[in-house]
């Protein structure tokens, strides 16, 4: 064997030994970091403004985790571009468990289908940590309809082809799609009126400017007690305990409108497994706490409890579900 070949082999072996010795401290540092997690405050990025249901869920979860771990969990509201601003902030954050996103199905499942330039594949670019709660939509009818049931609303729409209008938070929003599916299921003409948010749509229902709106349970529970608005149906598969007298759309004879959404926790891609496990366990513990359960159930939310793997699968299924619904109903989004 030549001197040059012997030298090359020795050099290669030396480099391999050096690389191994360097990897050891890196791996050990990662393991020690995970073992001590959380060692500093955690940030929850929320894609909506403060005061809304997603923000409220985030703050209740943050409060519970702060008590559990003894580290502050703060909420950072990053609004804009249908959730893309928040997703971008989350995607650029280090995968160390200290920056997480409180995401919702309209942002992760519907926005990719309705925004042609949506920049992320949510199933690949983020880590699904845990879902937290599910919510349904309640059809709230205003005074101008004079309908006391879904059947009466549909009959009125059929007799007055331009007389029934419904509001939504905007084109492609969950309540827009629910309205389109309800119109299709009932074979009744209903005109969509998009707003910049749910609040102005609800205000116009109360004022009689539009006929109805699909609102989340947290908003609908208080409004249903008003004599100016009537809760005619709910999109869940079963009645909500906070609205026991409101029938589901399916039991009222309108199938295919069993839609709603979820709120869950996501992180940057490739969260380390030990940190992911600690997050799973911590979130599960908070969800089972009496304080969290009481608050969520009072708003009509249904607490969910799945693993990261199950939640990841659910995110995929939700995207496929909405793609099929939009295609089947021939809903025009552009």
């Amino acid at each position: 064997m030549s001197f040059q070949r012997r030298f090359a082999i020795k050099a290669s072996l030396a480099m391999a030994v050096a690389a191994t010795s360097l990897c050891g401290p890196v791996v050990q540092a990662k393991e020690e970091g995970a073992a001590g997690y959380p060692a500093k405050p955690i940030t929850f990025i929320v894609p909506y403004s403060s005061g809304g249901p997603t923000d409220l869920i985030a703050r209740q979860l943050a409060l519970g985790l702060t008590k559990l771990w003894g580290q502050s969990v703060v909420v950072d509201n990053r609004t804009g571009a249908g959730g893309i601003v928040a997703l971008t902030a989350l995607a650029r954050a280090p995968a160390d468990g200290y920056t997480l996103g409180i995401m919702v199905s309209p942002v992760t499942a519907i926005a990719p289908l309705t925004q042609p330039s949506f920049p992320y594949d949510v199933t690949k670019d983020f880590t699904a940590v845990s879902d937290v709660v599910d919510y349904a939509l309640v059809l709230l009818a205003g005074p101008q309809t004079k309908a006391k049931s879904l059947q009466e609303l549909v009959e009125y729409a059929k007799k007055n082809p331009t007389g029934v209008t419904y509001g939504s938070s905007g084109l492609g929003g969950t309540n827009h799609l629910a309205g389109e599916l309800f119109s299709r299921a009932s074979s009744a003409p209903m005109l969509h009126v998009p707003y910049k948010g749910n609040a102005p749509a609800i205000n116009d229902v109360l004022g009689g400017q539009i006929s109805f709106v699909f609102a989340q349970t947290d908003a609908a529970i208080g409004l249903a007690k008003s004599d100016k608005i009537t809760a005619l149906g709910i999109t869940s598969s079963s009645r909500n305990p906070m609205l026991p007298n409101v029938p589901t759309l399916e039991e009222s004879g309108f199938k295919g409108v069993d839609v709603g959404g979820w709120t869950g926790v996501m992180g940057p891609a490739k969260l380390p497994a030990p940190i992911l496990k600690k997050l799973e366990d911590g979130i599960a513990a908070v969800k089972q706490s009496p304080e969290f359960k009481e608050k969520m159930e009072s708003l009509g939310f249904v607490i969910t409890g799945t693993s990261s793997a199950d939640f990841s699968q659910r995110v995929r299924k939700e995207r496929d579900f909405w793609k099929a619904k939009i295609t089947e109903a021939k809903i025009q989004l552009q």
Side-chain angles (χ1 to χ4, degrees), residues 257-273:
V257 201
D258 51 339
V259 298
W262 49 258
T263 300
V265 181
M266 304 188 84
K270 300 179 181 178
L271 272 181

Side-chain angles (χ1 to χ4, degrees), residues 37-307:
Y37 176 86
K40 61 182 181 180
I42 296 169
T43 297
F44 279 169
I45 296 174
V46 176
Y48 300 121
S49 58
S50 60
T54 308
D55 178 74
L56 185 149
I57 294 165
R59 292 180 188 279
Q60 287 295 128
L61 184 61
L63 179 62
L65 289 175
T66 297
K67 291 180 178 178
L68 180 67
W69 287 336
Q71 284 288 349
S72 296
V73 182
V74 298
V75 174
D76 181 8
N77 301 92
R78 298 285 189 97
T79 62
I84 292 178
V85 170
L87 285 174
T88 299
L90 183 61
R92 292 175 178 173
D96 57 7
Y98 289 101
T99 302
L100 302 166
I102 305 299
M103 294 298 162
V104 291
S105 48
V107 170
T108 61
I110 299 176
L113 303 173
T114 60
Q115 299 185 36
S117 58
F118 195 82
Y120 300 108
D121 182 338
V122 177
T123 62
K124 296 179 180 179
D125 297 331
F126 303 94
T127 301
V129 177
S130 174
D131 48 1
V132 180
V133 298
D134 284 359
Y135 63 84
L137 302 174
V138 181
L139 193 156
L140 300 175
Q144 73 172 36
T145 65
K146 296 183 173 59
K148 300 301 180 184
S149 68
L150 290 172
Q151 289 82 357
E152 288 184 13
L153 178 63
V154 168
E155 288 173 10
Y156 180 83
K158 289 180 177 179
K159 293 177 182 177
N160 302 272
T162 61
V164 173
T165 54
Y166 70 93
S168 78
S169 59
L171 197 66
T174 309
N175 49 5
H176 165 217
L177 300 180
E180 291 288 341
L181 293 172
F182 176 51
S183 177
R184 180 180 174 85
S186 63
S187 300
M190 298 173 184
L191 177 65
H192 174 227
V193 182
Y195 289 80
K196 292 182 179 180
N198 289 314
I202 292 172
N203 286 338
D204 274 5
V205 171
L206 288 166
Q209 282 77 35
I210 56 175
S211 306
F212 71 89
V213 66
F214 277 100
Q216 283 187 201
T217 48
D218 57 292
I221 289 171
L223 291 167
K225 299 176 182 178
S226 168
D227 57 1
K228 294 183 178 180
I229 208 163
T230 307
L232 298 182
I234 189 167
T235 61
S236 52
S237 58
S238 58
R239 296 195 183 197
N240 191 289
M242 297 301 295
L243 296 165
N245 298 322
V246 179
T248 68
L249 271 78
E250 184 166 351
E251 73 177 278
S252 297
F254 306 104
K255 296 183 178 181
V257 201
D258 51 339
V259 298
W262 49 258
T263 300
V265 181
M266 304 188 84
K270 300 179 181 178
L271 272 181
I275 289 178
L276 182 58
K277 181 64 168 63
K278 188 147 190 182
L279 283 167
E280 280 184 303
D281 292 346
I283 293 167
V286 172
K287 287 191 293 187
Q288 292 304 310
S289 67
E291 298 86 356
F292 189 84
K293 290 176 70 174
E294 181 181 355
K295 185 64 175 179
M296 295 300 104
E297 290 171 0
S298 72
L299 295 170
F301 295 132
V302 177
I303 296 174
T304 51
T306 60
S307 66

